[in-house]
């Protein structure tokens, strides 16, 4: 992915750029709002990572201008301001996701990947499929190995999210935010327990295992690579 | 602030005196203007009337003299005039001299009886006829009227008191150089005018100091209040956090203002104390984990091949610290009231339900029975639906549920219920854990407070502080109770 990082804090910018490069992406760094806007409109990027507080042109204004000019590249906001209002403000200005500092790089990576995937998704499907696991979005039921598996509402939403982001790392924070609309960090490992329960229903008695834990990051749902001999 | 030893009281007094003076003038000036104008108007009217009388008098006198003279002149004409108009014209043009005037006024006694002053003098200045001795003094009034005080004039009839003889006086020249002084007596009228003027002057003179005094008396309490306010502010500046305004028990408005200021100062003192408490707590409670972190980083530095576990342990420690700081920040935000801006309509039932649903698998895993009782309908308060911050309530309830999770042993029971039968909707969380001893129930809401038996445990120690702050912000009442286990009740 080509990613433009517009961030005036040098250490954060370089840290993120290096991490992305190590993951095989092509990051570009920019420290000023106006320059960032020019580059974002002139060149084509897959995702923009924009700090809210920028010299020259404020992050929100930058994205608003970009959207007004027809730019549809997905935008992830970075900021130290984490309240509901600021989050809503960011999303209303045209941002697609919002991450508060300080953050773990894996969190940022997961979200950037998710944004990119969302952006390039095909026409909305009614059935999600990974391997032999099927999720029927109309009938609201899961099927695997010919069996229909009953899921509670949240379990369904959890599985849907994992399947829509199949192959991508999904962080616990993302799950909390998207599925439970919780914007704080619980002390207990609630998400782990929910995922564990889901696994019990759709993974444990089946093969291959689709839901994997990624240490230090989150979870990923994917068909494991076949290891031949 | 340097160089001015005591700018307070005297400066304030001056400015309030200024405003008192202005107010007094504003009240006094229209009254003064009205009084003066009225007096002027009235006295002029009186004198105008007298002037009218003077005209009539003069005409009378002169006409008689004219007619006499005319008659003499007529005798000398060869032919008499036929035309009445011509005759009148001729009559009017007759000029009369002093001697002739005197001759015409046949009856000297009649002059004495006139309520007027009359004096005829010839060209040489010799007085030929007069009903008074002389003019003692004259006063010009408004460049139009001249009034004169007489000597040797007859007192007017039918007057009970003795009045000074005054008349409105006019001088007319007669042909041949003589002059006529004439005018109506205005003894009484003059006295009235003088009295009116005296009253006006008295009222004006008295009114001004009275108004000033009243104004000053009115502003005195305000001036004192301002001075007291300045004094308290100075004391606060010097660090006296306990300095307050004294309530005088005088004007109600000022006391209300003083009370409000005192309350604000009280809150300020609380905040400052709270802040110093917090910084003490932070220093105290975070020193240990920070040192631990430092130790681990040191280990990391010295290890030639740092294991993933070690790195993760360090990251965990840092995360934990971060969480603590985030929690502190959130509590501070909530306590400062700034989150009120984010208030929206709340579905309380949904929030309770969501929290329960979020944690239910964790309860299941730990072997604790979680029962939920939440009505399906929307909860409404006295003034319609509740307003608040969904995020904060989710977090507060999560903190409570997590505490229940932490302290209830396996096999225990936790019950979460939303009860809207009473006057205020009540969220009740009951657990079968050890509960909180009664004497510690007030303390647990303090930041970083840990029950004796829980010291040294992980967790930030801020969970209940946040719950308390969220309740305060929303005007909810929280109570801790229970004999076996803990019952937490929140009335919205």
């Amino acid at each position: 992915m080509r990613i433009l990082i517009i961030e005036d804090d040098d250490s954060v910018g370089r840290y993120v750029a290096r991490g992305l490069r190590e993951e095989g992406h092509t990051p570009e760094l920019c420290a000023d709002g106006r320059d960032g806007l020019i580059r974002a409109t002139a060149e084509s990027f897959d995702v923009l990572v924009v700090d809210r507080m920028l010299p020259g042109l404020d992050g929100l204004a930058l994205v608003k201008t970009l959207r007004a000019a027809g730019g549809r590249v997905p935008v992830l906001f970075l900021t130290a301001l984490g309240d509901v209002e600021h989050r809503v403000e960011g999303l209303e200005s045209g941002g697609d996701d919002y991450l508060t500092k300080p953050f773990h790089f894996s969190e940022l990576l997961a979200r950037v990947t998710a944004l990119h995937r969302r952006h390039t998704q095909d026409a909305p499907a009614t059935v999600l499929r990974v391997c032999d696991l099927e999720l029927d979005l109309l009938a609201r039921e899961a099927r695997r190995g010919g069996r229909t598996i009953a899921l509670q509402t949240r379990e369904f939403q959890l599985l849907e999210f994992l399947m829509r982001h199949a192959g991508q790392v999904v962080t616990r924070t993302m799950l909390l935010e998207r599925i439970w609309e919780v914007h704080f960090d619980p002390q207990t490992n609630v998400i782990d327990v929910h995922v564990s329960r889901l696994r019990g229903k759709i993974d444990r008695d089946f093969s291959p295992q689709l839901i994997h834990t990624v240490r230090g990051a989150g979870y990923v749902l994917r068909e494991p690579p076949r290891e031949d001999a | 602030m340097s160089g001015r030893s005591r700018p307070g009281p005297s400066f304030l007094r001056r400015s309030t005196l200024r405003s008192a003076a202005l107010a007094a003038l504003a009240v006094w000036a229209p009254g003064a203007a009205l009084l003066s104008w009225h007096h002027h108007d009235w006295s002029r009217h009186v004198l105008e009337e007298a002037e009218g009388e003077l005209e009539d008098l003069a005409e009378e006198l002169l006409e008689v003299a004219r007619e006499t003279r005319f008659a003499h002149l007529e005798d000398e004409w060869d032919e008499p005039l036929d035309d009445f108009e011509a005759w009148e014209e001729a009559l009017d043009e007759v000029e009369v001299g002093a001697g002739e005037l005197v001759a015409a006024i046949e009856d000297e006694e009649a002059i004495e009886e006139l309520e007027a002053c009359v004096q005829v003098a010839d060209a040489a200045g010799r007085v030929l006829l007069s009903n008074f001795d002389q003019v003692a003094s004259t006063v010009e009034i408004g460049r139009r009227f001249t009034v004169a005080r007489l000597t040797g004039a007859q007192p007017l009839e039918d007057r009970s008191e003795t009045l000074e003889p005054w008349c409105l006086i006019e001088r007319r020249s007669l042909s041949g150089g003589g002059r006529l002084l004439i005018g109506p007596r205005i003894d009484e009228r003059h006295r009235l005018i003088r009295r009116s003027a005296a009253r006006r002057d008295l009222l004006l003179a008295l009114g001004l100091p009275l108004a000033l005094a009243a104004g000053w008396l009115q502003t005195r309490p305000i001036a004192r209040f301002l001075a007291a306010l300045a004094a308290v502010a100075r004391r606060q500046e010097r660090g006296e956090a306990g300095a307050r305004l004294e309530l005088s028990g005088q004007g109600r408005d000022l006391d209300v203002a003083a009370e409000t200021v005192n309350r604000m100062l009280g809150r300020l003192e609380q905040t400052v104390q709270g802040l110093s408490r917090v910084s003490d707590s932070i220093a105290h409670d975070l020193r240990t984990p920070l040192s631990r972190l430092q130790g681990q980083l040191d280990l990391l530095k010295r290890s030639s091949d740092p294991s993933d576990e070690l790195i993760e342990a360090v990251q965990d420690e840092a995360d934990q610290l971060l969480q603590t700081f985030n929690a502190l920040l959130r509590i501070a935000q909530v306590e400062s009231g700034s989150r009120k801006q984010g208030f929206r309509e709340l579905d309380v039932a949904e929030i309770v339900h969501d929290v329960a649903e979020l944690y239910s698998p964790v309860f299941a895993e730990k072997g604790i029975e979680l029962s939920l009782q939440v009505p399906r309908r929307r909860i409404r308060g006295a003034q319609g639906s509740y307003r608040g911050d969904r995020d904060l309530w989710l977090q507060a309830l999560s903190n409570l549920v997590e505490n229940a999770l932490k302290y209830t042993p396996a096999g225990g029971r936790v019950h979460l219920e939303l009860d809207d039968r009473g006057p205020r909707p009540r969220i009740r969380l009951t657990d079968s854990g050890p509960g909180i001893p009664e004497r510690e129930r007030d303390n647990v809401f303090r930041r970083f407070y840990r029950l004796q038996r829980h010291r040294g445990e992980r967790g930030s120690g801020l969970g209940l502080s946040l719950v308390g702050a969220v309740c305060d912000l929303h005007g909810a009442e929280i109570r801790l109770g229970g004999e076996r286990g803990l019952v937490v009740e929140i009335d919205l």
Side-chain angles (χ1 to χ4, degrees), chain A residues 15 80 82-88 100-104 152-155 176 179-194 196-197 215-216, chain B residues 308-309 312 315 319-320 322-323 326 330 333 338-339 341-342 344 354 357-365 389-391 394-396 398-399 402 405 459-461:
Chain A
Y15 163 68
D83 318 335
V84 189
E85 302 98 69
H86 292 121
R87 218 181 302 125
V88 168
T100 47
K101 296 191 221 182
F103 52 84
H104 285 292
Q152 291 176 7
T153 316
R154 291 282 193 230
E155 290 172 331
L176 272 169
I179 300 171
W180 279 274
E181 284 184 69
V182 160
H183 296 282
F184 57 88
D185 202 351
Q187 298 272 23
T188 38
N189 57 342
V190 264
I191 296 294
D192 292 351
V193 179
H194 277 271
S196 166
R197 204 169 57 167
R215 279 189 76 177
Chain B
D308 278 345
E309 275 102 40
E312 255 187 53
Q315 278 188 317
D319 268 344
Q320 182 63 25
L322 206 59
Q323 271 199 23
N326 279 339
R330 195 141 245 221
Q333 274 182 337
S338 63
R339 299 264 331 197
Q341 292 171 320
R344 310 264 185 280
D354 280 354
E357 188 276 323
L358 177 64
Y359 284 95
S360 71
V362 190
F363 277 95
E365 210 182 58
D389 190 317
R390 178 176 179 270
D391 242 17
L394 275 178
Q395 197 171 359
S398 291
N399 286 356
E402 283 180 343
L405 207 49
S460 61

Side-chain angles (χ1 to χ4, degrees), chain B residues 179-239:
Chain B
R179 70 157 162 83
L180 165 69
L181 281 181
I182 191 162
R185 285 282 286 276
I186 55 167
D187 302 15
E188 180 139 1
R189 282 175 284 190
H190 181 264
R191 191 183 66 154
L192 286 175
I193 290 177
R194 269 238 297 248
R195 219 160 48 177
S196 163
R199 282 197 193 126
R200 174 202 63 191
D201 293 340
L202 182 69
L203 282 173
L204 258 46
L206 275 185
L208 187 59
L210 269 176
L212 277 173
W216 179 73
L217 276 175
Q218 267 208 318
T219 53
R220 213 159 69 115
I222 299 177
R224 273 214 300 261
F225 181 75
L226 289 175
L229 199 57
V232 166
R234 271 200 306 277
R235 283 167 65 197
Q236 286 273 349
E237 262 185 301
R238 280 195 288 241

Side-chain angles (χ1 to χ4, degrees), chain A residues 37-173:
Chain A
L37 181 59
I38 293 169
R39 290 196 68 179
T41 37
E43 305 164 46
S44 92
F45 290 98
D46 296 307
V47 178
L48 301 182
V49 176
V50 182
D51 184 21
R52 255 189 82 144
M53 313 278 220
L54 289 170
L57 184 63
D58 158 51
L60 287 185
L62 191 158
V63 175
K64 269 192 207 154
T65 316
L66 182 68
R67 292 285 181 246
R72 300 199 324 168
V73 57
V75 170
L76 171 68
F77 274 118
L78 285 182
T79 180
L81 304 165
D83 318 335
V84 189
E85 302 98 69
H86 292 121
R87 218 181 302 125
V88 168
E89 239 184 350
L91 297 178
E92 279 177 357
S93 311
D96 297 276
D97 202 356
Y98 205 86
L99 187 56
T100 47
K101 296 191 221 182
F103 52 84
H104 285 292
F105 176 75
S106 50
E107 182 79 44
L108 182 132
L109 179 64
R111 287 175 187 256
V112 162
T113 323
L115 279 182
H116 181 59
R117 163 67 74 90
R118 222 197 306 167
H119 190 65
T120 57
Q121 204 133 57
D122 314 321
T126 51
V127 176
L128 300 172
R129 232 178 249 111
V130 175
C131 204
D132 62 335
L133 173 64
E134 271 184 19
L135 193 64
D136 189 337
L137 299 173
L138 291 179
R140 308 301 283 184
E141 62 183 26
R143 287 188 287 275
R144 195 169 183 188
R147 291 207 325 247
T148 306
I149 305 166
L151 294 176
Q152 291 176 7
T153 316
R154 291 282 193 230
E155 290 172 331
F156 187 92
Q157 287 172 334
L158 181 56
L159 184 56
E160 178 182 354
F161 192 81
L162 285 166
M163 291 185 79
R164 281 197 189 276
H165 295 272
Q168 293 172 13
V169 173
V170 156
T171 62
R172 291 173 183 84
T173 315

